[in-house]
Amino acid sequence: GEFSPTEDFNIFVAGAASNTSYQRIDRFNYLRETESNGDDLGETSESFNFLGFYDKTCSYYYINEQHNVYFNTGYYSRAPIYDVVFPVIPNLPNIDAENEKTIAFELGYGLRTKTVSANVNVYHTRWIDKTLTEDYIDLTTGLPFFANVTGLNAIHQGLEIDFEARPVSGLTVRGMLSIGDWTWTNDVEAIISDDNANVVDTLNVFVEGLRVGDAAQTTASLGLDYRFPFGLKVWLTGNYAADLFASFDPTDRNSPDDRGVQAYDLPAFMVLDGGVSYEFDFQGYGLGLNDNVNNIFAELY
């Protein structure tokens, strides 16, 4: 639905619902039964249903033709993936499987003029009840075990800025800056079970206060291109990344000594890219030549 209480104020509301159903048929690990018609049937698990939904609300207020502000919020409940519902080979379900939830807020400002366009926004996103599973093998017996890690929470929040300026004819300057703080917020305790759902041990996961890995949480970019009147264009862009913590498995942080020990923070780096292109007409056809060079200075990162 879209609503306009006033000429300068727009509200957009959307929602959806879904049902995800899982059932496992195992034709290898169970004795087959034969129907009267001679068909072999594998053992079939129960069916497990997970209701999911999302809703979001976006509101825009146009102060005038040059300035606007906006506020967005949303809530998302997502069904767990199949491997969380059936984490081991037999048809034994994880009865503790539950939906993962996300709640998000965003507040922003937009500027639009003939020579400059820009956006500034702050965001706060909470990831709730993230589920991880970990498989183990008993080295003595060779039997499989699994840990069902539920209830992990994380916060992703930060500031984002982007702009595009055209100070003189033919010249365009583009830039962006993103400063994030993405952190796991709690420790959890999980149970370790065998493939018959017997609890054999517990697993503590110590991740509270650790930064989320495998993505640069601070990034920036600045570039410019100039287009000559006769079809030649040259461009140059620098991309910067920092606060890139190494990827790690939270379930491996299972010792009290792991408390507060951040993953390796990779050194910050900048890569410079550039290129040149030329567009022209040839016997009634539009042709273009383009040459790009990525990482001009061969930066090792």
Side-chain angles (χ1 to χ4, degrees):
E2 188 171 356
F3 311 93
S4 297
T6 67
E7 191 175 277
D8 302 323
F9 186 32
N10 292 340
I11 300 174
F12 176 80
V13 179
S18 64
N19 179 69
T20 301
S21 179
Y22 293 120
Q23 190 173 49
R24 187 177 189 275
I25 300 174
D26 191 328
R27 302 189 186 279
F28 297 93
N29 293 290
Y30 294 90
L31 291 175
R32 289 187 173 184
E33 299 176 355
T34 304
E35 285 191 334
S36 58
N37 62 5
D39 291 337
D40 288 333
L41 297 177
E43 184 75 12
T44 302
S45 75
E46 299 176 60
S47 180
F48 297 90
N49 297 291
F50 297 88
L51 294 175
F53 68 92
Y54 83 85
D55 63 79
K56 63 180 180 180
T57 302
C58 310
S59 56
Y60 290 82
Y61 179 67
Y62 298 91
I63 301 171
N64 52 40
E65 291 185 357
Q66 289 78 37
H67 306 278
N68 69 82
V69 292
Y70 57 89
F71 176 73
N72 303 324
T73 183
Y75 184 86
Y76 182 31
S77 177
R78 187 188 74 170
I81 63 173
Y82 173 86
D83 287 346
V84 170
V85 181
F86 291 102
V88 292
I89 291 177
N91 288 341
L92 195 67
N94 171 18
I95 60 175
D96 295 322
E98 59 179 299
N99 285 15
E100 296 183 359
K101 279 80 73 175
T102 305
I103 184 169
F105 305 93
E106 180 185 35
L107 178 65
Y109 162 77
L111 171 67
R112 302 290 182 271
T113 70
K114 290 183 178 180
T115 58
V116 177
S117 60
N119 299 288
V120 179
N121 78 76
V122 292
Y123 64 91
H124 180 92
T125 303
R126 290 180 175 267
W127 300 82
I128 304 167
D129 289 331
K130 289 186 69 66
T131 299
L132 302 173
T133 60
E134 188 74 6
D135 298 322
Y136 301 93
I137 297 293
D138 188 309
L139 297 180
T140 303
T141 64
L143 295 176
F145 298 93
F146 81 97
N148 178 51
V149 183
T150 60
L152 278 172
N153 302 325
I155 291 179
H156 290 205
Q157 58 189 358
L159 166 72
E160 297 177 332
I161 302 171
D162 67 84
F163 73 90
E164 180 176 300
R166 297 163 295 278
V168 296
S169 177
L171 177 63
T172 302
V173 181
R174 298 181 180 88
M176 60 79 63
L177 172 67
S178 176
I179 301 174
D181 179 9
W182 309 342
T183 307
W184 297 101
T185 61
N186 65 322
D187 299 332
V188 296
E189 182 181 82
I191 59 173
I192 300 177
S193 306
D194 62 18
D195 57 5
N196 291 311
N198 299 312
V199 177
V200 297
D201 203 350
T202 59
L203 172 72
N204 291 292
V205 177
F206 300 102
V207 293
E208 182 179 359
L210 300 187
R211 303 288 289 273
V212 175
D214 205 28
Q217 299 188 25
T218 299
T219 58
S221 175
L222 182 63
L224 56 88
D225 63 62
Y226 187 80
R227 184 180 297 273
F228 294 90
F230 51 87
L232 179 68
K233 184 178 82 168
V234 294
W235 64 271
L236 200 64
T237 300
N239 294 296
Y240 173 81
D243 297 321
L244 173 53
F245 293 85
S247 177
F248 68 96
D249 185 348
T251 61
D252 289 338
R253 300 302 186 99
N254 48 37
S255 167
D257 295 336
D258 293 329
R259 290 183 184 273
V261 180
Q262 297 288 354
Y264 179 63
D265 185 2
L266 279 71
F269 64 90
M270 188 178 77
V271 175
L272 189 66
D273 305 328
V276 59
S277 64
Y278 180 60
E279 297 178 355
F280 60 98
D281 293 326
F282 179 74
Q283 295 185 353
Y285 294 94
L287 299 179
L289 302 175
N290 187 67
D291 183 41
N292 297 331
V293 179
N294 295 324
N295 196 1
I296 293 173
F297 296 113
E299 178 73 14
L300 185 65
Y301 61 91

